Amino acid sequence: MAAAKGRRGLRPRDVLEDPRLLLMLALGFGCGLPILLVFSTLSAWLATAGIQRTSIGLLSYVSFAYSLKFVWAPVIDRLDLPLLSRWLGRRRSWMLLSQIAVAGGLVAMSFGAPSDDLFYIVVCALVTAFASATQDIVVDGWRIDAAPTERQGLMLGSYQLGYAIARAFAGAGALYIAQGYSWAMAYEAMALLMLVGIAGCLFAPRQDPADADAEPRGVADTLRVAVVEPFGDLIRRKGPRLILILSLIMLYRLPDIISGVMAQPFYIEQGFSLVEIANVTKVYGVIVGLVGALAGGWAVMRFGIQASLLFGGIVAAGSNLMFAWLAVSGHDTEIFIASISIDNFSGAFAGTALIAYMSGLTSPAFVATQYALLSSLYALPGKFIGGFSGYMVDGLGYPSFFVASALIGIPVALLCIALAALGEGREEAEAGPAPEEEAVAAKA
């Protein structure tokens, strides 16, 4: 009964009754704000500044910070910051430092001009992404320590709501300001909004790890606990099937991630204004994506993970054919809206199915670590290949580029069928939180 209560939806009354939920709303806002500003919103800025597609594609490597954050997470979990930790505690001191670094990085970006010094923008974006990923680590740790298990569902729901609101500001809001005023003002305004997350940090009660006074582990022990043991458990339980499982996870969202890198430059080159892009992709598209996520959750419960995973993989990859059509049609608002509708719905559906599947792969002894490893792994190939997406577009053209990305759905479908035949995916699993890479992969 307690678990069911923990999973129910977030209601306004819950926020009023438990101040921790209001804090999670603010902290979720702080975590959700930076990611688009160093990815899709930044891509739009670079495209309007006339930066080459190849450079925009390579800049997507900045998002690797979000996939590799498990590497430095153990250090942050065990290391005190001088002076600041005495005042705020370990969790909040790292949280405040990372939030200030995010705001500073955004302000620094506002002083740059991509056409004059692209390297300066890249360095600022990298610093911002690293600080943002660090903030994610600390906020997750604080959330887990701050509430019992039966309250984690509500805590996570509040976090996701704040995260979604922040993405609307960093997506649509930044484009509106850039269209009406300037990109510099847009990034300065986003830096100012980081005060919401900073306020959440300062008002949050001190909550440090239970082992705060324990002797810190060495590097070898940390790697063993964080990576070797959880991965070894997967190998022992799954055996040779793990090769197929990991292949599916790495390929499943590859079409979305690759094409998502070029999404903003593509929209701009098709003649759509920043306001049109904001309205269709950042406002309407987000709503469609929420519907798709709900549909994916319902499908997992109604038809099971195997069928949902197969359907989601096919339709998510196939949705790129709509962008191939838009590339041929040019500035066509109706096809643009139809493309975003199909892509966001199918992408969110597939994402929910994949999250449910990855959740079912974890062992009770290593749930958090194994899920973090799997959610990092699924985005790494797409991010690496996505860095060359500009070269792919230059060589193939947009129509062939989108068709080629859609064809990845064929091996995805074959892997789903093979794993279903081996009985994989029949375990009971429920969708966990969408990893930050979901936001990176989206064509929003």
Side-chain angles (χ1 to χ4, degrees):
M1 182 66 69
K5 182 180 179 183
R7 290 194 299 267
R8 66 178 170 80
L10 180 69
R11 301 173 301 177
R13 189 176 68 183
D14 295 320
V15 177
L16 297 177
E17 293 175 350
D18 190 345
R20 292 173 301 184
L21 300 182
L22 184 60
L23 292 173
M24 283 309 304
L25 193 67
L27 294 177
F29 185 94
C31 289
L33 194 71
I35 188 165
L36 292 186
L37 297 172
V38 297
F39 192 70
S40 64
T41 300
L42 178 58
S43 295
W45 183 9
L46 300 182
T48 58
I51 301 300
Q52 293 181 343
R53 289 187 293 241
T54 53
S55 298
I56 296 175
L58 291 173
L59 187 59
S60 68
Y61 285 147
V62 166
S63 65
F64 267 114
Y66 294 96
S67 291
L68 298 176
K69 62 186 179 183
F70 67 88
V71 174
W72 66 90
V75 176
I76 290 175
D77 207 34
R78 294 175 175 83
L79 182 66
D80 284 328
L81 288 173
L83 301 178
L84 202 56
S85 290
R86 293 184 181 179
W87 174 42
L88 296 173
R90 182 180 301 171
R91 296 271 194 232
R92 292 194 304 160
S93 62
W94 277 107
M95 196 183 302
L96 181 62
L97 179 64
S98 61
Q99 290 169 334
I100 292 174
V102 167
L106 295 176
V107 171
M109 290 175 71
S110 73
F111 289 116
S115 56
D116 295 336
D117 191 351
L118 183 59
F119 180 75
Y120 171 81
I121 296 293
V122 171
V123 172
C124 292
L126 186 60
V127 170
T128 304
F130 181 83
S132 174
T134 302
Q135 179 188 201
D136 292 343
I137 295 169
V138 187
V139 169
D140 282 338
W142 185 90
R143 170 179 58 80
I144 293 170
D145 289 339
T149 302
E150 63 269 16
R151 299 293 291 179
Q152 285 299 321
L154 291 175
M155 294 283 280
L156 185 57
S158 183
Y159 173 89
Q160 289 175 326
L161 178 59
Y163 199 99
I165 294 172
R167 286 193 63 197
F169 277 94
L175 294 187
Y176 290 145
I177 296 173
Q179 179 78 60
Y181 300 94
S182 66
W183 282 106
M185 183 173 290
Y187 272 75
E188 288 167 358
M190 296 303 109
L192 190 63
L193 286 176
M194 278 302 296
L195 288 174
V196 175
I198 291 174
C201 171
L202 295 178
F203 281 104
R206 183 167 178 160
Q207 201 69 247
D208 286 335
D211 63 341
D213 297 324
E215 190 71 22
R217 293 190 181 100
V219 175
D221 287 338
T222 297
L223 288 176
R224 177 178 56 81
V225 173
V227 180
V228 177
E229 289 184 1
F231 200 76
D233 174 74
L234 281 172
I235 295 174
R236 286 190 296 270
R237 287 189 295 112
K238 298 300 180 180
R241 289 179 296 174
L242 187 60
I243 297 175
L244 295 179
I245 292 170
L246 297 181
S247 297
L248 174 63
I249 291 173
M250 290 188 291
L251 287 177
Y252 197 78
R253 300 311 306 275
L254 194 60
D256 262 353
I257 299 176
I258 293 175
S259 57
V261 176
M262 284 291 106
Q264 300 298 326
F266 170 62
Y267 302 149
I268 291 171
E269 289 179 39
Q270 294 302 103
F272 295 102
S273 68
L274 295 180
V275 171
E276 288 178 305
I277 295 171
N279 290 337
V280 176
T281 68
K282 313 287 187 181
V283 180
Y284 169 75
V286 170
I287 297 173
V288 173
L290 291 174
V291 175
L294 292 174
W298 174 83
V300 168
M301 292 186 294
R302 177 67 177 81
F303 303 108
I305 292 179
Q306 294 171 325
S308 302
L309 203 63
L310 176 61
F311 177 78
I314 293 174
V315 297
S319 67
N320 281 352
L321 296 176
M322 287 296 300
F323 292 99
W325 184 14
L326 179 61
V328 173
S329 302
H331 187 283
D332 190 316
T333 303
E334 292 183 357
I335 298 179
F336 184 31
I337 294 174
S339 300
I340 294 298
S341 300
I342 296 173
D343 180 76
N344 283 28
F345 180 90
S346 60
F349 184 104
T352 301
L354 179 62
I355 292 164
Y357 178 59
M358 291 193 300
S359 299
L361 292 173
T362 59
S363 169
F366 303 101
V367 171
T369 305
Q370 287 180 344
Y371 186 82
L373 287 171
L374 292 172
S375 62
S376 297
L377 179 66
Y378 98 89
L380 286 176
K383 289 179 178 179
F384 177 75
I385 299 174
F388 297 97
S389 57
Y391 293 97
M392 295 165 67
V393 171
D394 284 351
L396 300 174
Y398 277 117
S400 297
F401 168 72
F402 287 120
V403 171
S405 63
L407 293 177
I408 300 174
I410 296 175
V412 167
L414 294 176
L415 285 168
C416 286
I417 294 171
L419 287 170
L422 293 172
E424 281 294 327
R426 290 177 184 167
E427 300 90 346
E428 290 293 325
E430 57 187 67
E436 289 80 7
E437 288 76 18
E438 283 295 316
V440 175
K443 297 186 190 70

